[in-house]
């Protein structure tokens, strides 16, 4: 956010912890930048579009999305509870999915296709179906492989 603001971008700061957001917004503002604070939980499917609405009301349409919500639990898999696991997966995978999906529909892809003249909506829809299914499969496989310890003989 700091780097984008220094480059002249107005930035929407979105997270659950308002005090951290306000501190960062103050820092950006003091350096001459423009930042809006949006308190939201990206794991909440209903909160994500509300967060986009708030950001767009404050700053205009989203041109760049840095979708990097994430949490960690500093324990081994053997020590992690199912609740901790759910919190990590919900934030790091589901949250990123929900934000990316909301951004996708606000991006107005059909307008872009009209400008590009690259085949029409049926072509776009088939590509979107492929991307959607590949994304879900790849993400779930990567998530499970990343948490599976390797065994070396």
């Amino acid at each position: 956010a700091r780097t984008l603001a220094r480059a002249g971008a107005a930035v929407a700061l979105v997270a659950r912890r308002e005090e951290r957001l306000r501190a960062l917004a103050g820092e950006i503002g003091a350096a001459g930048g423009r930042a809006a604070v949006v308190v939201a939980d990206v794991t909440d499917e209903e909160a994500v579009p509300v967060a986009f609405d708030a950001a767009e009301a404050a700053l205009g349409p989203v041109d760049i999305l840095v979708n990097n919500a994430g949490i960690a639990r500093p324990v081994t898999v053997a020590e992690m509870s199912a609740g901790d696991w759910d919190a990590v997966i919900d934030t790091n995978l589901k949250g990123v999915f929900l934000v990316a999906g909301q951004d996708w529909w606000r991006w107005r892809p059909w307008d872009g296709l009209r400008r590009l003249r690259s085949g029409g909506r049926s072509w776009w829809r088939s590509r979107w179906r492929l991307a959607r299914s590949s994304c879900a499969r790849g993400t779930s496989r990567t998530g499970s492989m990343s948490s599976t310890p390797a065994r070396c003989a």
Side-chain angles (χ1 to χ4, degrees):
R2 289 179 190 96
T3 301
L4 289 170
R6 275 194 301 271
V11 295
L13 307 171
V14 183
R16 290 175 293 170
R17 297 187 190 128
E18 185 173 5
E19 63 281 353
R20 287 185 174 184
L21 295 175
R22 294 226 178 269
L24 180 55
E27 182 184 323
I28 289 170
R34 188 168 160 223
V37 170
V38 179
V39 178
D41 180 353
V42 298
T43 67
D44 181 347
E45 190 170 358
E46 293 178 5
V48 172
V50 172
F52 268 85
D53 290 344
E56 290 180 339
L59 304 171
V62 175
D63 293 319
I64 300 169
L65 174 66
V66 179
N67 192 0
N68 67 338
I71 62 171
R73 297 292 190 249
V75 296
T76 66
V77 172
E79 299 166 323
M80 185 178 286
S81 71
D84 284 342
W85 174 261
D86 288 343
V88 170
I89 294 302
D90 280 355
T91 302
N92 299 3
L93 295 178
K94 179 183 168 189
V96 170
F97 165 76
L98 292 173
V99 171
Q102 186 63 211
D103 183 63
W104 175 267
W105 291 113
R106 288 173 184 258
W107 176 61
R108 297 170 187 83
W110 313 127
D111 292 340
L113 278 176
R114 276 191 233 107
R115 282 196 301 274
L116 293 174
R117 304 276 188 229
S118 59
R121 289 184 181 187
S122 61
W123 173 86
W124 185 259
R125 285 184 182 146
S126 66
R127 293 286 183 158
W128 171 237
R129 277 191 215 106
L130 176 61
R132 219 179 29 198
S133 64
S134 297
C135 175
R137 182 176 182 274
T139 300
S140 63
R141 289 183 54 91
T142 301
S144 65
M145 287 187 294
S146 296
S147 66
T148 304
R151 299 191 118 211
C152 300

